[in-house]
Amino acid sequence: KNLQAYFGMIKNIDDNVGRLLKFLKTQQLDQNTIIVFTSDHGGMNGEHALFGKYKPYQASVSVPFLIKYPGKIKGGKIIDSATSNNDFTPTLLNMLLGPQSTSGMYFDGVDRSEQWLNNDMKIDDPQQTVYSAYHNNNWFAAITSRLKLVISPTDVEWLFDMKMDPDELYNFYFTERLSAEAKTMRAQAFAEMKKYGWSMSQTWRCKDDPNRVYSGVAGREKFGTWNCRFLSQLPQKWRNIFCDPKTSHAAYACPDSCADHCLGMCHDPPDGIMHACDDNFECKKLKCSRLSRLDPDLREKYCTNKLSRTEVCPMTCKGWCFFQKPDETCFDHPGKMYQIKNTGEIQNCCYLSRQRRKEKTRICEDNFFSNAAKKCPNTCNRQCSITRGNWQSISGICHKKITSTLDSLDSQFTS
């Protein structure tokens, strides 16, 4: 049904373009009128088992561009060099009015008028590169007439050879034949991301699994169990403690998080609405915020279904985002430390939330016994609970206790 409507609209456009061309000819305007035909980008329409826009495949990112300029551009001319719609405005202005028309003006695109107006009937500059991206940190692509490099924080780099593999089925990034070109395009893409302040210039190097867990090393078992997402959100001095190989396995489980490559990974809009479908193809609309709080297994079902519009909440689907409920009253950090003063034992807010009411009251109300009331005020007021799922989603597995033998924790967390 969707394809019927799509192809019906193509027929409608074709008929009306024909009417317009016929009118220009009957009015003898066809020889002094420039005609440009272009459109929005594609909608996949089932290619790669996908529907909708916002994908880096040609069926989504490509747009047609046809131009008739009587007496200036020869009929049948083909330009295969990569060109962006950002190039259309400066090219058309300079082609019609001359270079002085855009003097002192800034454009994101490039003036391609020399290519369009010269006498060459086929132009293919393999070095000419354009860039395409999806706005919420989903992917960034560098594109030439032959190659397309796609960089994403949710996957390995992909390099498509669109001449050898026009259906874009194979990844050539790791092939020796194209390794030098892949390296060059990667550097160019990174420079372009930094030039325009694209957030992925900082996050695309992060390949950690946000849900991968780690715990204390031998002799530090009580250090707890956490995940990479939790680690990436910690203040620098806390992250340094977790990433110390003498303390935990974080440096092994989350190397990019420990190298500060995974800071600010979530750029999904909390109010973004994703069309989500489950295994039974029952679909609903879910906000990214709601999706982030779902049971991980259920979230995975929605995010792996081919009919789901995962491009709306890509980092939530990956596991990097967690949005608290609007009415959430717990603002304590689950890893925030407090100290039992008479023993020197260090514990944390997450551990405190799991204690029975009588024990929690004893810990919180006696300031001479601990500084928990200062460090974990919401937890002491029973506003934080692991059963709500918030802390478990943030940190992985809410652990039991931090051992008091970690002297570095004593100085860093309780000061």
Side-chain angles (χ1 to χ4, degrees), residues 193-326:
M193 285 189 279
K194 293 189 68 175
K195 176 181 176 182
Y196 289 100
W198 195 254
S199 59
M200 203 189 303
S201 64
Q202 298 299 321
T203 61
W204 67 279
R205 294 176 295 173
C206 176
K207 303 304 178 187
D208 289 349
D209 179 349
N211 300 305
R212 188 173 184 184
V213 296
Y214 56 90
S215 56
V217 297
R220 299 288 189 268
E221 290 82 359
K222 292 183 179 180
F223 182 78
T225 304
W226 306 90
N227 63 23
C228 296
R229 177 179 58 250
F230 172 78
L231 182 65
S232 71
Q233 296 171 349
L234 287 174
Q236 184 68 57
K237 65 178 184 179
W238 292 27
R239 191 161 52 252
N240 290 343
I241 295 171
F242 277 74
C243 292
D244 184 347
K246 297 178 182 178
T247 302
S248 80
H249 298 288
Y252 171 77
C254 315
D256 290 333
S257 297
C258 284
D260 295 342
H261 292 166
C262 301
L263 306 181
M265 287 298 289
C266 180
H267 291 271
D268 293 355
D271 293 329
I273 298 178
M274 175 177 133
H275 181 75
C277 302
D278 60 21
D279 293 342
N280 297 319
F281 299 100
E282 295 182 0
C283 302
K284 62 173 68 175
K285 293 182 178 180
L286 285 175
K287 288 185 177 181
C288 297
S289 56
R290 170 62 178 154
L291 182 67
S292 76
R293 297 192 295 268
L294 292 180
D295 176 84
D297 291 337
L298 179 58
R299 182 171 65 242
E300 183 178 5
K301 288 182 179 180
Y302 283 131
C303 291
T304 55
N305 191 295
K306 292 290 187 179
L307 296 180
S308 294
R309 296 288 299 277
T310 57
E311 68 274 1
V312 179
C313 312
M315 304 309 286
T316 305
C317 281
K318 181 66 176 176
W320 284 112
C321 297
F322 179 80
F323 303 101
Q324 289 188 326
K325 295 180 180 179

Side-chain angles (χ1 to χ4, degrees), residues 119-131:
N119 292 323
D120 296 335
M121 293 301 291
K122 186 173 178 61
I123 298 176
D124 185 356
D125 180 355
Q127 302 304 316
Q128 189 166 305
T129 307
V130 298
Y131 302 93

Side-chain angles (χ1 to χ4, degrees), residues 103-118:
S103 178
M105 300 174 65
Y106 173 79
F107 296 94
D108 287 328
V110 178
D111 173 21
R112 309 288 189 190
S113 57
E114 190 281 327
Q115 284 186 349
W116 295 16
L117 294 174
N118 67 31

